[in-house]
Every structure is written in structure tokens, then in C-alpha cells.
Amino acid sequence: MATPNTSQDETPTPVPTPSLLPPGGDEPQKPKSQKELARERAKAEKLAKFNAKKAKQAADKAAAPAEPKEKKEKKKAKSVLEFVYVEETPKGEKKILKSLDDNAYKSYNPAVVESAWYDWWEKEGFFEPELTEDGKIKPEGVFVIPAPPPNVTGALHIGHALTIAIQDTLIRWNRMLGKTTLFVPGFDHAGISTQSVVEKTLWRKEKKTRHDLGREKFTALTWEWKEEYHNRIKEQLKKMGASYDWSKEAFTMDENLSKAVVECFCRLHEDGIIYRANRLVNWCCALTTTLSNLEVENEELTGRTLLSVPGYDEEVEFGIIVSFAYELEDGSDKVIVATTRPETMLGDTAIAVHPEDERYKHLIGKKVKHPFVDRLLPIIGDDYVDREFGTGCVKITPAHDANDYAIGERHKLEFVNILNDDGTLNEACGGKFAGMPRFTARKVVIEELTKLGLYVETKDNPMQVPRCAKSKDVIEPVMKPQWWVSQKAMADAAMDAVRKGEIKIRPEVPEKEYFIWLEKIQDWCISRQLWWGHQAPAYYIHLENELVDGCGSDAERWIVARTPEEAQKMAEEKFPGHKVTLERDPDVLDTWFSSGLWPFSILGWPKDTKDMENFYPNTVLETGWDILFFWVARMIMLGIKMTGKVPFTEVYCHPIVRDSQGRKMSKSLGNVIDPLDLISGIPLADLHAKLLAGNLDLKEIEKATRFQKTAFPDGIPQCGSDAMRFAFCAYTTGGRDINMDIKVVEGYRKFCNKMYQATKFALMRLGEDFVPRADSKLTGKESLVELWILHKLNVAAQKTNKLLEERNFSDATKAVYSYWLYELCDVYIENSKSLILDGTPEQKRSVQDTLYTALEGALLLIHPFMPYVTEELWQRLPRRPGDKTRTVCKAAYPRFVPEFENEKAEQDYDMVFEIAKGIRSALSACDIKDKAEVCVHANDADTFKTVSEQLSSIKALVKGLESLTLAQDNQVPSGCYVNPLSSKVSIHVHVAGRVN
């Protein structure tokens, strides 16, 4: 049944579980190349086509017949509030609560309800950890979440909203349990991502590269970007209600966090865990930097496939294997080899065969001629070669293939690097190929081999293509001297911590994957050829009178030190009697290295701070399962190594958000949602406009526009932060993916309205002069329905606490939702009307006291999920005498109360409620809407007694009754429709002679 005063379009429906950079100076612009001019023309044509299409659609719409007036008026009636709410509360002050009869407050409007509260919460310090008078953790315990720091690359997306919903629910719940809580906000500099987007913007705006600016100016420009997006993200986080302790806000490149990076690097180097080595790395030519294995995505191909590669106008062919011949040095024979990367033959330094292969044993020790460079390639025997694969001959390129690298080391082969950093070929490839882009060279190599009669054939070949997760460039294995972290020993310690139960990983699937990855862990390359990030605290020693041309390859010349002064002293001690100068390594460190220190660097480490004493280890690390290895495993390894303790005691991995069709969020699909658009609502036209602001081509814009029209035909409705948060918690079942449906969030917005209207009604029934009793203890005068609702509150509190403890967010929302909607609103509030209006003064007061307890308990139960609407409504409730609680954030969370436990009352009133539902069902079956004559037949004395005492409750729960009687034994009237509910009770509706 609907609570009175609920607006007709807000009835809850059943919800399934479910310019960025400043312009340059006044320097004259360089003349534009033909390619640049062509790009600009293409971009202008793209925009013109899109605008022409939109204009045609507008013209077609204008030419269409006008809608009937009645239809337009109907649409207008369904529109949202047609006024702009202006908050009158001064920023940071407690919200001015206007009358619920005020125009802005008559029905639930998230823009009204969610205004002003956050600034007050923050100013009053409600989110800061509460300690005892002597600065210790409260007896109730401690609960700490280090928020995964969002990247300053750009604004937050809907996936961040899921993270906030889960984390803040846990923090607010534990805060209400009386614990000392700390929720630390922060931001990550995101080296590769941020530098990449700033470089693209710089080129788009000024046609300049970072090298045109120089390192200092480019870094300053990136700091400006960081500040802009830092502030934008911060506002998004506050809008979502995240109860962070902003006094402890951290950024990975803050002074102390940078010191932590230096200290960690130095300690690991001193222990021999960080070392310098010239080894194969994953090289991204588009970003001109190394990547870790985790930042490489392997794309599966079943055969010949054309792929788009950054920097190439034409698609590049992959999924093939090319066979060609090498001629022996004396010209007496040829050997045929095959490769999926023909261009790498320019770096071949050997041919390998199996030493027992009868076909080639006689060739081992001989040499073949390279057709394009002055190089002889020895034929070697190695057990690695599979005699059954291909021709049994394998070309060896030690500097550009991981398997070949190992063979090269075993046989002491020459390592020839053929690539420049930008992916063009270098001088080692000969004059014909030097300077040529690698995939252009791929085709030219085949053409030249054909001219020489050495080309054999090309076949389809299933294969994996390694791609950069950021740029989508094809990764090249390249030899580079870099800094590496030996991870095996740290990984063993990290696995032991989970096996011993020091860290619990939830759910179980990520835990299994955690062990699989750590057991196979490899050393980690942490050098990055970037300018944005933490520069390695390493220095190369140059001796006097040496020709200086960057950092050299002599490992003995490297010094790792905490400061330049310390480095200088160490260098002078290492080379006494020499005049030395130092050059700092220009490379920065992998972003995940600094992020790996997050749980303790945010608390002041390496200093021995009070925060480290109180809040380390952290309690829960909540994040997406997709960065379990990027981040979580590294935090555990580095935390144990640096502090001797695990960094946190629990890891909770949340699902990944997809669109309603189950597709991954992507700008080109048009399904990426800004949380603020979901909170405030956005018209479809504005969603379309956002697509034009990006770098999508015309086809992608058209595709994304079509999806938006299908998924959001009326735009995205205003749902509010509370509904969004509750929906995400309801979606979180422990699975891997969430198929996000806006209608689900909108359904919870209607649920917010139900809560809002129910509280308005309850306040009206309590009256302005109502003062609740000092406590909620039973008086002994409670009616059955009062005992029932208090028992239901008890059950809901017990369930919700248990489920949140188990991190079962979906079932926790079900428990709270059911109590609010199906027990408090549909039953108790409906039942209380007649008792408050028609009962004795004693009955009225008892029902009011129970209504207060049941309603306040409901608001407290749901507060961690819905902070704004609960604060708005809780503040309107009168306080119990002696209760000085200033905010619902600090109110005590409902727990199990033994006194409220009453299974007998539950059973009895559940029967009464079933009778009410049975009567409604019978009336519906008989199509009777009013003046119904109903008899309830009880088959035993206990049932008869209970029902006789609750006839008024049944009447309150059923509309359209003319009479309601109770019968026992054989007193059942004739001429009735019978609805048998159980062996104890049946419903009899008089139908004989009735005219509807």
C-alpha cells in the first residue's frame, strides 16, 4: 500500500538486485606541413558532415506533423520540478531546514536534499578520526581505508562511483559503530597516462612536442593540468558523499611521498633487490618508454588481420608467417627460415637448428650471408629448436626476441639493436633501411627478398600481438639498460601473508589468481623514459676529461643516493684522487612503484609518525580485481619489505562496471557515464555534444550517438548521489561484472521518495510538540503490531551488520530495503494511522514512541548507503532527552537488541498481515472494490483470539471494507467466495446477490 502524500510519478517500483591547457606564448607559428594541413582538412570535413547530419534531422523534425495538444500537455505534466533551487545556507554552516510544506520540499528532489550538508560535515571535522583523550584508538577499535588514488589524467567515470559507494558505506558503517575511522583521500600522478594526454593536447593546441618546450617547461605545464583535474575530481568525490578526512589528502608527488619513493629505492638497492641491467624490455614506440609486462595486452589473432597502429595511415598486416632463405657463405646451399616479423631479420645474428636434426647437423659451424648488411650469421645447434615446427631452422634476433635473447646469451652471439626509440630503423640496418618506419620496412624487406629470389611464401598464422594498454601501439622487445626489481623473495613473503591469514582476499577467485601470478613472477623493470614522475635517485659518474654523452653503460659508475650531496660524497670516495661530476638518470620510475608505497607513505613513512602507530596496518584495501597485480600485490610485497608488517588485513575486489548490454565502457561506444551526469541528470543533446569534444572519428561518433539514443532516449534522469550509491551496492554480488542499467538507479530514486514521504507522514503523526522517551526500552504496553515492527527492526539490524561484515553488499541492501518498504511503510505506518487517530491517549503515545524508534532505526540503518537523504530527514526528527548527537554520521548504528526479539509476535502478526493480503487477493478475484463484506474463519482458539484482537489492524490494511467479521467452528456464512490461507484460517467474501 502506498503511504499518503506520495506523488503519483514517484511510487517505488520493484528494483532488481542487480580549455585544459593555456595557449602558448607569442612565438611565431611554424609553417604547417602538408600532412598537418591534410589532417586539419579531414577534421573540418568530419565536423561539417556531423553538423549537416544534425541539421537534416532538425529539419525533418520541424517538417513532421505537430503533436496533438493533449499529448504535449501530458508530457509537460510528467516533467521534473520547473524551478531552480538556490541554497540559502552559508557555505560550511549547518543547513537551514525549511518547512516540508515549502515548494522545494513537498516532494523528494535530490538537488534540494543533497545541498549544503557536505560542506558542513567537512567544516565540523566529522570525517576526521576520533581518538581518546590521550591520542589512542577508541576501545571499539580502528577501521582504515586507504582510497585507491584516482589518476589526474581526467575526470572520474562511473567505475569510480562504484568504488566510492562500497568504500564509503564501510567507513560510515564503522564510524557509526563507534570505531576510530580513517578514510584517506589521494590522487595519483599516473606518469604515462598524464604525460600522454598533455602531449596530445599540446600538439593539438600549439603543434608542439614536449621537446620543443624542454623538460622544465613541459613539467610545469603538466603540473597545471594536474591542478585543474585534481580540483575537478575532488568536487566529484564530494558530490558523491565520500567521507574522506581531507586534512590527510595526499598526492603521489607530494614532498613526503616523494621522499618515501627515494627511501624505498635506496633501501632496495642497498639490499641488492634493485639492480641495473641491459636486458630486453617492452618498448612502446608511440610513447617512447618501457612498460612492465602487466601494461602489455596480448591481442589474439586467428590468421591474417589488418590492425590500426599509431603513426601509420594504412593498417598493418599481422597474423601471417613469412618464409625466406638465407644463402650459405660459399653459395653452395640455402636454409629456409620463417618469421612473423620480417623486418627483424635485419637484426638476425645466427641461424639455429636442433643439434640432432639429421637434415642440418652437417651445417652447424658454417655461416650464411645476410642479404642486406655486411654480416655473417653462424649456424648453431640448440635444443630449444623444435625439429617438427616449420623447416626446423630458426632465425635468431637476440636483441628483439625473448627466446632468442636466451639463445644469444648461451652462445655468446652478437646483440644487434635495429630500432630507434620512435620505431624507425637505425644505421645497423644499412643505408637502404635506416630511418624507415618499422612496419614500412616490413613490406620493403619482403619486396627486396623477392628481387633477390630469397622470398619463399606467406601463410596465415594464429598468433598474439602485444599491444600497449595506453596507446594501442604494437610493443617491440628492445635491449635497454634499465633499473630492475628482483621480486621472487618479496613474492614468497606476500604469498605467506595470505596463506597464514594475515591478509584475507575476497572473493575467492581473485585470491586464487593472486597465487598463480606470484608463483610465476618475473623481475620488474621500473625505468620509464618519461619526464612526468619520480626521477630515479641514481647518478652516473663522469671522470675529468672524459667525453660526456649521457649516462654510460658502465655499471660501476652508477651511484644511488638519497640526495645529490650524498651522491657526490659517495662518488668522490669511490674514485679518490679524481675530479668527478654527476649526471642524474633522466628516467622516472614506474607509477606503480610509488603507488605500491601508498598504505604507509600516506601516513608519513619513512618518518616514525603517530599516524603510522595508530593506523598501520590499514584495515581494508578495496579496489577492482583488474589491478590486483598492478597494485595490490606490489603494495603487499613492498609493505612487508619496508615496514615488516602487512600493509592491510583485507583486500576486497569489486566487480567491473559494464553498460546495460554487457560491453566494456568506452568513449568510442558512447557508454561512458560521468557520475555527475547520473546525479544531476543530462539531456540527450548534451550527451551527444560530449562526443564531439573528444578525439573520435566520424564513424565512432555516429556509432556512439546511436547507442546513446537507444540507451538514453530521454537523456539521463536526475537520480541523485544516494540512489546511485545504493544501486551500486545492490549490484555488488561478488561477481566479476556489473551490467549497469540507468533504470535501476532511477528505481532507487523513487525509493528515496518513498522514504521521504514516509518520514513526512510520520512527523505529521508525531506532531510538532512530540518529545521521544529517553530510551527505546519496552514499556509493556505495546500492541502486537508494535512488538512486530520492533522485532523486524531487530532482524534487519542483525542481518545488515552481519552482511556488511561479510562484505555481502547486495544482500545488505535487500535487508534494509525490505525493512523500509515492506515492513515500516507498507505495514506499520499504515497500521499506526487508526491507532494514532482513534486510539486511547495511552495507545496513541505508545504507537508514536514505537513509530519514532522504528523510523529513526530505519534512517540509521540506511545512512551508510544513502548519507544525504538520511541526514536531511534525521535532522528533522526530535532528539531523545540527553542525546547530544549533532549528525547522523556519528549516531549509533542499530544493533541486535535482545529485548526486541519476539518470534511469537512475529508469527502472530505475520498471520494477521497474511490475512490482510488474503482479503485483498480475494476482493481482486471477485472484482470487488468497495462495500465488501468479509468474514475471517479461524479453526482454533489461539488463532481466533489473535485475529479478534487485530481486527482493527486488518481493517487499516485493507481498503473498501463494508464489514469485517470473525467466525469460528461452523459459523461461516453461505454464498461466499472462499480463499483458504492455511489449515488455521480462511477468508470468506460475500458474493451472493451482490451487484457491483
Side-chain angles (χ1 to χ4, degrees), residues 19-23 205 228:
S19 88
L20 304 179
L21 289 172
K205 286 181 173 291
E228 178 176 344

Side-chain angles (χ1 to χ4, degrees), residues 21 58 95 131 184 204 261 391 394 448 529 588 598 710 788 843 853 911 960:
L21 289 172
K95 186 173 182 177
L131 300 168
V184 183
R204 188 174 68 248
V261 170
T391 63
V394 180
E448 294 299 318
Q529 289 63 48
V588 302
W598 188 252
T710 303
W788 177 84
Q843 287 177 323
T853 299
M911 180 181 66

Side-chain angles (χ1 to χ4, degrees), residues 902-976:
N902 196 326
E903 291 185 4
K904 178 68 166 59
E906 179 183 36
Q907 292 170 3
D908 288 348
Y909 197 79
D910 279 351
M911 180 181 66
V912 170
F913 190 54
E914 285 302 313
I915 291 172
K917 290 197 294 184
I919 294 173
R920 293 200 296 264
S921 176
L923 295 180
S924 176
C926 298
D927 195 25
I928 297 175
K929 297 180 174 59
D930 56 14
K931 296 183 180 181
E933 300 175 38
V934 178
C935 176
V936 179
H937 181 260
N939 290 332
D940 60 74
D942 287 344
T943 303
F944 185 87
K945 180 177 183 297
T946 300
V947 176
S948 65
E949 293 172 351
Q950 298 300 316
L951 283 177
S952 61
S953 291
I954 296 172
K955 289 179 181 178
L957 296 172
V958 181
K959 306 293 185 185
L961 289 179
E962 175 77 11
S963 66
L964 178 65
T965 58
L966 178 63
Q968 194 175 16
D969 299 327
N970 297 318
Q971 303 170 1
V972 179
S974 60
C976 291

Side-chain angles (χ1 to χ4, degrees), residues 144-149 167 504 506 598-599 618-624 627-628 631-632 635 647-653:
V144 182
I145 292 183
Q167 292 174 359
K504 173 65 178 175
R506 301 181 184 182
W598 188 252
N618 305 162
T619 311
V620 176
L621 189 283
E622 192 281 336
T623 189
I627 57 172
L628 184 63
W631 190 41
V632 179
M635 281 189 286
F648 29 73
T649 55
E650 179 187 343
V651 177
Y652 180 81
C653 298

Side-chain angles (χ1 to χ4, degrees), residues 122-142:
E122 184 182 356
K123 182 182 177 183
E124 293 299 319
F126 293 142
F127 302 154
E128 297 174 13
E130 278 190 36
L131 300 168
T132 59
E133 290 184 2
D134 57 352
K136 302 290 186 182
I137 297 299
K138 293 167 67 177
E140 291 84 355
V142 64

